[in-house]
């Protein structure tokens, strides 16, 4: 441990209301800590700049509920909860899948979806599935609640729409993708306990061989997790069932992808590799969809 | 052979229960009264002069014990072969993370801040960061030419062989990267000093007497005032051969200055950045072969990156040189080898010790030679593998009854090699998943090289306690590989007593004799044999004294031992190493018996290369080896499985990212080793041809499994992709770069 616990302060107010009050009264002073699986890594390495923490491990944030057309996942739900939830497995299998890919078992037991999103790593594993499923977020503070599409959450590298006194209260998932085609894949540095070099999830509706709706999320190809809006636009209405046309579609899609992504060289991979594999995954996705649509 | 009761049986590990119950105590579990904690201030530059050291305000410096090179009472070096490795920087820095200054304080949490508050000012000098740069010699950082050591091994007339008509010449260059040991337990030590007893060191280490020798040099204390005790050690793999002498000397210096016991335990980031790794290598092969596939001559040039100081590089290079010829008969061979200095933390011992580098090159190259002469890898090897009676590269006659051709066939059968090869050839063109199968045939010399064992002159004892327990006295240590268990098995077998009544004497230089370092796959074969003869001596003493009959039960043996102790005050039998007869070695010409014995192996790997992500999965692995005698089948199988896993890491995952001599990815998130999810079923098979001078026929086994996986896997990848990859680690990024050149790129599609 390169940090000194005596220098840190941790409050455990115990209820959501008390947490929100604290965050509101002294905005920016207290850093929320949920599972701690991001924070404690920095702590161990002596790289944590914050000193004051408030535990947001409160029951109000740990529920998964189903009502009407939505499943609501509390921001404090662990990936184990998500992975095991029958409703999520049924309606949002790619999210359950991504949860199962995140770190190891211990990590899934502690790490939360709120922490995964708020930490805002471009390599995080849950964002692609959330883009693909059209998720929305409910942000909460002592001032009240507001609801935003997940697409509007990431503003830049490690910058989010969260105000200083706000928490991710709920992740909302619309149950309208049961009949969609889907594709999900994580390319990590190894098969388990791996940070993604690329992670991708997509849903699509293909009618009479034509793409009617498509949503694609991708990680590690830009400063933030990305919804591939340009690629989606390029694919809307295209025909997948004719082999010759499909090749052109794939080429157009790869080009659109290149236009909206900017992978980098880092300690885990290279820009060249990410560019190539992102395109390959996109192609694999389209061939899978085409196969299913035929 | 089958009548043995204990040897060859899967008896439990001696220390297994304590480990499983969490009762085993490692260095960081130990505490001494009044103990304080030490930390190390390390260099931030690869090379330069230290101009000054400043202590920033805000830290209660008067509470700290501070040690610099000036405080060293003895010699400022870690005693090894050349004594060129400073214990603490004295004016000149030669690599990043070099220890400059030591701090100790009762509150360990204050240490990171204090380390950060020490500012060292430097005058930077130009530095060298690759074999090529070192070879070019524009900047000289060691000796006159940056060469830490060189060897020339020659057999036959290589130049004449290459001048022959009608031959095929195949050339190739092969490179391997550094590898981090990643033992579970980081390096750690506790030292205590008092004027009368001198220095006592407790450490997580492999070689108590190596640390003993270095502590004597650094402290200037005599032999009997330095005591080294190995505590339970959480893995080593060679990484705790030399570095414990460094961290141990640091703890001792702080203990001497502060007058308090001092503990230093590295965290993972420090351990990875500052301690040794496997030597990176570059090997060039030029091979002359007849048109019908008989090897005529090899001209091999092998280079290692040794890091900033010579440390163990000469011996690693020696083993690499000797293993370069592989398991083949060469009428003519020349190996020119050099270890170069670079401004990197010194590379050190790592399971295999030069052989994995050499054999990667050789076994990858042999597949390419086979292809060049139009033979399958197996048929080409069949024509050239060593036979009993033939000579190795050093001219050593193989006296053992070996059957490499037969063992190769058995391994290939176990892997269903021929059927799979044909099927993959048929199916690969259509898929995005390309399958391949490849193999390697190799050898590993057991024990110290050449005259090494004679210099070590190991001494071993077996004694009995007043309670009638039997003890094995050796400085050979347990660090997960099974030393305790096999040596107790050997003693129990020889004495004719139950395994349960035999135990290991504490690995404490104040108690046990020097049976040599726990390295070089020597423990089972060399030390085991000495335990066997010491045990035999003990038994004969009891029989000769009339206290024991020819046939007895364990209790009767114990009673006789007690009676003997009652009468004579003790019962102990010692045995000293004697070289097997007919062993001849010339250190100058590198000719003769390089090793008392070789272990042999054939490893077969099956892989899938997925061309969407360019990732490689090892799907199946057959590991067949001849190791003389399997002393404990569970431990032996574990050694092979672990070695293969480590070899898979070496081949496909483990990449040290260097930035001017500094490891950038010094954390487990970014230095990738395979998990259980990345490993195939590893199918282990043994052949046993007992070696007459090993314990119950045993030869070395610990390092062998590290040598074969990388070439077998890369040969399989070559089969799958049709591409020659000749560098490890081979990451998906590297495969992508090569394969993408031929893939339907976006530009080509533009014409559709
Ligand atoms: C060994 C290991 C392996 C890992 N593997 C993966 C992996 O494969 N894929 C992956 O994506 N991640 C991985 N992670 C990262 C981490 O586990 C996840 O990002 C996890 O979801 C973080 O959640 P947490 O609750 O632990 O976050 P914390 O560490 O508690 O918090 C992280 C950040 O989010 C903020 N925060 C937390 N909750 C909220 C909230 N509800 N509202 C607003 N802000 C909040 C905190 O203030 C902090 O800034 C790994 C981590 C480790 C240690």
């Amino acid at each position: 441990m390169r940090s000194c616990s005596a220098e840190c302060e941790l409050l455990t107010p115990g209820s959501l209301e008390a947490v929100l009050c604290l965050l509101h009264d002294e905005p920016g002073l207290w850093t929320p800590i949920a599972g701690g699986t991001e924070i404690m890594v920095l702590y161990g390495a002596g790289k944590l700049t914050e000193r004051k923490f408030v535990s947001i491990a409160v029951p109000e944030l740990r529920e998964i509920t189903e009502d009407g057309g939505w499943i609501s996942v509390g921001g404090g739900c662990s990936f184990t909860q998500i992975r095991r939830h029958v409703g999520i497995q049924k309606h949002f299998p790619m999210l359950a899948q991504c949860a199962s890919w995140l770190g190891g078992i211990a990590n899934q037991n502690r790490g939360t979806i709120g922490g995964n999103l708020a930490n805002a790593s471009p390599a995080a594993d849950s964002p692609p599935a959330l883009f693909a499923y059209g998720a929305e977020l409910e942000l909460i503070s002592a001032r009240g609640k507001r609801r935003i599409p997940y697409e509007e959450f990431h503003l830049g590298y490690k910058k989010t729409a969260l105000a200083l006194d706000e928490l991710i209260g709920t992740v909302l998932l619309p149950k309208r993708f049961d009949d969609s085609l889907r594709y999900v894949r994580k390319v990590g540095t190894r098969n388990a306990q791996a940070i993604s070099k690329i992670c991708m999830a997509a849903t699509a509706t293909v009618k009479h061989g034509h793409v009617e709706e498509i949503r694609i999320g991708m990680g590690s190809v830009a400063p933030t997790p990305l919804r591939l809006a340009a690629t989606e636009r390029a694919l809307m209405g295209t025909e997948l069932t004719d082999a010759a046309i499909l090749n052109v579609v794939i080429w157009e899609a790869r080009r659109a992808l290149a236009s909206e992504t900017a992978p980098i060289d880092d300690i885990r991979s290279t820009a060249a590799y990410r560019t190539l594999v992102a395109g390959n995954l996109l192609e694999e996705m389209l061939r899978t969809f085409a196969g299913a649509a035929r | 052979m089958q009548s043995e009761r204990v040897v060859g049986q899967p008896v439990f590990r001696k220390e297994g229960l304590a480990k499983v119950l969490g009762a085993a105590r490692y260095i960081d579990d130990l505490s001494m009264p009044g103990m304080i904690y030490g930390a190390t201030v390390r260099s931030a530059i690869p090379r330069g002069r230290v101009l000054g050291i400043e202590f920033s305000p805000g830290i209660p410096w008067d509470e700290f014990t501070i040690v610099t090179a000036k405080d060293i009472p003895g010699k400022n070096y870690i005693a090894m072969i050349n004594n060129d490795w400073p214990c603490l920087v004295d004016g000149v820095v030669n690599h990043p993370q070099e220890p400059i200054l030591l701090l100790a304080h009762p509150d360990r949490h204050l240490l990171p801040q204090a380390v950060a508050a020490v500012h060292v000012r430097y005058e930077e000098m130009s530095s060298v960061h690759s074999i090529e740069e070192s070879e070019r010699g524009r900047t000289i950082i060691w000796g006159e030419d940056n060469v830490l050591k060189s060897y020339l091994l020659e057999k036959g007339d290589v130049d004449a062989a290459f001048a022959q008509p009608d031959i095929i010449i195949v050339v190739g260059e092969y490179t391997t990267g550094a590898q981090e040991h990643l033992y579970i337990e980081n390096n750690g030590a506790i030292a205590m000093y008092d004027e009368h007893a001198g220095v006592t060191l407790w450490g997580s280490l492999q070689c108590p007497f190596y640390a003993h020798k270095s502590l004597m040099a650094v402290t200037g204390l005599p032999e009997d005032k330095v005591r080294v005790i190995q505590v339970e050690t959480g893995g080593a793999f060679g990484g705790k051969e030399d570095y414990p002498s460094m961290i141990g000397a640091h703890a001792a210096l702080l203990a001497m200055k502060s007058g308090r016991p001092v503990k230093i335990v590295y965290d993972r980031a420090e351990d990875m950045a500052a301690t040794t790794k496997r030597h990176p290598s570059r090997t060039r092969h030029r091979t002359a072969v007849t048109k019908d596939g008989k090897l005529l001559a090899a001209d091999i040039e092998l280079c290692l990156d040794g890091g900033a100081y010579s440390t163990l590089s000469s011996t690693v290079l020696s083993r690499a040189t000797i293993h370069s010829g592989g398991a083949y008969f060469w009428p003519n061979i020349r190996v020119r080898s050099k270890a170069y200095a670079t401004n990197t933390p010194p590379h050190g011992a790592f399971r295999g010790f030069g052989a994995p580098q050499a054999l990667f090159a050789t076994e990858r190259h042999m597949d390419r030679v086979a292809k060049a002469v139009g033979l399958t890898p197996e048929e080409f090897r069949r024509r050239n593998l060593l036979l009993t009676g033939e000579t190795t590269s050093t001219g050593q006659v193989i006296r053992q009854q070996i059957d490499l051709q037969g063992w190769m066939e058995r391994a290939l059968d176990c892997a269903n090699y021929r059927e799979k090869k044909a099927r993959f050839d048929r199916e690969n063109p259509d898929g995005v998943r390309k399958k391949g199968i490849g193999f390697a045939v190799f050898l590993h010399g057991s024990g110290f090289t050449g005259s090494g064992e004679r210099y070590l002159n190991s001494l071993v004892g077996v004694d009995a306690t007043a309670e009638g327990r039997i003890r094995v006295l050796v400085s050979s240590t347990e660090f997960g590989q099974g030393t305790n268990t096999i040596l107790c098995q050997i003693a129990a077998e020889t004495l004719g007593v139950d395994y349960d009544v035999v135990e290991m004497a504490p690995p404490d230089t104040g108690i046990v004799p020097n049976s040599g370092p726990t390295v070089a796959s020597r423990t089972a074969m060399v030390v085991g044999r000495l335990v066997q003869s010491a045990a035999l001596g003990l038994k004969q003493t009891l029989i000769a004294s009339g206290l024991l009959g020819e046939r007895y039960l364990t209790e009767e043996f114990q009673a006789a031992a007690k009676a003997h102790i009652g009468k004579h005050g003790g019962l102990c039998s010692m045995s000293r190493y004697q070289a097997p007869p007919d062993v001849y070695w010339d250190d100058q010409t590198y000719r003769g018996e390089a090793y008392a014995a070789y272990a042999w192996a054939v490893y077969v790997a099956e892989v899938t290369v997925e061309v969407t992500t360019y990732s490689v999965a090892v799907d199946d692995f057959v590991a067949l080896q001849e190791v003389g005698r399997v002393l404990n089948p569970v431990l032996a199988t574990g050694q092979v499985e672990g070695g293969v896993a480590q070899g898979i890491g070496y081949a496909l995952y483990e990449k040290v990212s260097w930035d001017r001599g500094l490891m950038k990815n010094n954390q487990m998130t970014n230095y990738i080793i395979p998990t259980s999810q990345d490993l195939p079923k590893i199918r282990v098979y043994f052949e046993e041809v007992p070696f007459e001078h090993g314990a119950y026929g045993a030869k070395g086994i610990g390092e062998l499994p590290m040598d074969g996986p990388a070439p077998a896997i890369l040969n399989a990848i070559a089969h799958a992709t049709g591409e020659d990859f000749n560098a490890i680690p081979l990451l998906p990024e590297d495969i992508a770069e090569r394969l993408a050149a031929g893939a339907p790129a976006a530009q080509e599609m533009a014409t559709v």
Side-chain angles (χ1 to χ4, degrees), chain B residues 433-455:
Chain B
R433 295 163 59 79
K434 313 276 185 207
K435 303 246 343 162
I437 189 161
F439 67 101
V441 183
F442 56 102
L443 76 177
H444 196 97
S446 308
F448 261 38
T449 301
S451 30
E453 288 296 343
R454 231 170 304 168
Y455 289 128

Side-chain angles (χ1 to χ4, degrees), chain A residues 99-123:
Chain A
S100 79
W101 284 333
L102 191 137
I105 301 293
N107 220 91
Q108 292 165 17
N109 286 343
R110 283 207 68 86
T112 65
I113 191 159
N116 200 231
L117 302 180
N119 185 61
S121 161

Side-chain angles (χ1 to χ4, degrees), chain B residues 122-299:
Chain B
Y122 309 95
E123 179 193 327
E124 267 211 63
M125 292 153 75
S126 59
S127 53
V128 167
H129 296 292
S130 64
I131 290 173
E132 287 68 28
E133 267 184 78
S134 188
E135 191 175 36
R136 241 176 274 136
R138 261 185 231 140
T139 302
I140 299 297
I141 59 162
W142 201 92
E144 279 162 18
D145 54 2
N146 290 339
V147 177
L148 299 168
K149 183 74 186 179
S150 64
Y151 294 105
L152 171 64
L153 178 157
E154 238 175 337
K155 173 190 182 188
D157 188 340
V158 171
D159 294 326
F162 274 96
Q164 271 174 246
D166 278 343
I167 57 167
I168 296 171
I169 295 176
V170 186
V171 297
E173 180 176 304
Y174 308 88
T175 61
T176 64
Q179 187 181 20
E180 162 58 30
H181 306 86
L182 226 66
Y183 26 69
I184 295 175
E185 183 202 22
N186 296 322
N187 269 287
I190 298 175
M192 192 156 90
Y193 175 74
D194 95 56
E195 256 174 67
H196 303 292
V199 164
T200 305
L201 175 75
W202 291 263
S204 173
L205 49 83
Q206 288 176 243
C207 311
F209 280 97
Y210 278 5
H212 187 262
K213 184 175 161 198
S214 275
L215 281 183
M216 279 166 59
V218 170
T219 61
L221 292 168
E223 196 175 341
D224 61 337
K225 290 276 190 288
V226 174
R227 186 173 160 199
V228 177
I229 301 165
Q230 186 229 13
V231 299
E232 199 69 75
T233 295
F237 306 114
K240 292 173 185 171
E241 174 167 349
D242 55 12
Y243 214 88
S245 300
M246 179 70 88
I247 187 173
H250 291 169
L253 290 169
L254 285 167
M256 289 175 91
K257 187 152 183 190
S258 67
R260 317 246 314 245
V262 175
K263 177 193 276 189
I264 306 181
V265 175
Y266 295 162
D267 67 7
R268 184 64 68 186
E270 182 173 19
D271 195 288
M272 289 177 91
T275 74
T276 63
K277 318 245 168 303
R278 186 186 300 288
H279 291 69
S281 76
R282 183 198 69 201
T283 306
R284 292 180 177 141
H285 274 256
R286 194 164 66 98
T287 305
V289 57
T290 66
K291 290 202 162 124
D292 59 352
K294 277 296 256 183
L295 289 171
L296 280 176
D299 191 4

